[in-house]
Amino acid sequence: AEDVVASANYALGNIVNRLEEEVDRTRPMVTVVGKKSAKTSFSGTLTSYLMNSYKGAVLVVSDESEFQTNTKVSIGCNGTTLTHSNHELILSLIKHTEEPLSLVEVKNGIVRSPQNNLPNGWKLLYDADQNIEFEIQNESDVIAGLDDYVSDNNVKLLCIGKGKYKNFMERMFAKGEMSTSVAVINRIRVPVLVMGVSSSK
């Protein structure tokens, strides 16, 4: 429908090894993966590789995911998300949307004015004509706060930073948490773009 040329390839073998080979060969800006349809979850060996070793961006979608030109894009961020994340894909993406980009921070307790500036690396590519909103979601839990914000504001694409994926043994000693990023992906029903790691980090 969008006149995008695509090709398909089928491969057998270890999924992480084959993906590494494909990434080395094609150098993609973003890798797209689906949630498991039975559990709508994002977990396992592939998740561990994508969150811990892969430096690029990862778009996690379900089979109902759909993008339109009026897509509302929001970045769930804290004080370090923007400085540690590669911004080029986000700033390229929002040039093709009609809605402004919103930066959302979940806060517990008294709501203060959001920080209304961007890190230097983002400012260099920031188009002055692009509208950016800074917003605070006042809730005690980051995951629930982002879920509520996405639902209440008709967000169609949530962008987040990477968080280290914990394996089974690590989760046993961390109250079952895989990572905040993975928990957000599993909770939220819209596509989630996990931003790649900044090249300076």
Side-chain angles (χ1 to χ4, degrees):
E2 299 291 338
D3 293 324
V4 176
V5 177
S7 61
N9 185 31
Y10 185 84
L12 297 174
N14 181 285
I15 187 170
V16 172
N17 292 341
R18 296 311 300 265
L19 182 58
E20 285 181 313
E21 292 171 2
E22 191 66 15
V23 166
D24 287 341
R25 186 180 70 83
T26 60
R27 302 292 180 187
M29 284 188 69
V30 59
T31 296
V32 182
V33 295
K35 291 184 183 179
K36 296 176 183 177
S37 57
K39 300 180 180 179
T40 61
S41 66
F42 186 61
S43 62
T45 304
L46 179 60
T47 300
S48 179
Y49 164 71
L50 291 172
M51 300 301 286
N52 296 340
S53 302
Y54 179 58
K55 302 301 182 185
V58 180
L59 177 61
V60 184
V61 298
S62 65
D63 54 4
E64 303 94 15
S65 299
E66 183 176 314
F67 291 99
Q68 303 292 339
T69 54
N70 62 347
T71 291
K72 182 170 179 59
V73 179
S74 293
I75 298 180
C77 58
N78 56 27
T80 61
T81 303
L82 299 182
T83 55
H84 286 78
S85 301
N86 188 324
H87 53 279
E88 295 181 13
L89 179 61
I90 303 296
L91 297 180
S92 297
L93 177 64
I94 61 176
K95 291 178 181 178
H96 300 282
T97 64
E98 297 172 5
E99 294 280 348
L101 172 69
S102 59
L103 304 180
V104 184
E105 185 171 6
V106 178
K107 284 288 185 181
N108 180 10
I110 299 173
V111 176
R112 60 172 176 79
S113 297
Q115 182 180 357
N116 58 352
N117 54 36
L118 294 171
N120 288 332
W122 288 66
K123 290 176 183 176
L124 292 175
L125 294 179
Y126 173 56
D127 182 349
D129 294 331
Q130 176 64 49
N131 188 12
I132 295 183
E133 302 172 343
F134 296 84
E135 303 189 34
I136 292 287
Q137 180 80 4
N138 187 24
E139 294 196 35
S140 60
D141 181 74
V142 171
I143 300 162
L146 288 176
D147 190 20
D148 289 343
Y149 181 85
V150 165
S151 299
D152 295 343
N153 293 275
N154 197 31
V155 173
K156 299 300 184 184
L157 175 65
L158 178 68
C159 308
I160 58 175
K162 284 199 174 184
K164 184 179 183 298
Y165 178 78
K166 299 170 183 174
N167 61 32
F168 176 76
M169 291 301 293
E170 289 173 322
R171 294 202 302 273
M172 286 185 63
F173 297 99
K175 300 180 180 178
E177 288 294 330
M178 292 176 275
S179 77
T180 300
S181 299
V182 173
V184 167
I185 292 168
N186 287 334
R187 173 79 170 262
I188 291 176
R189 293 293 172 248
V190 301
V192 177
L193 178 64
V194 184
M195 293 180 283
V197 178
S198 171
S199 58
S200 62
K201 299 299 176 185

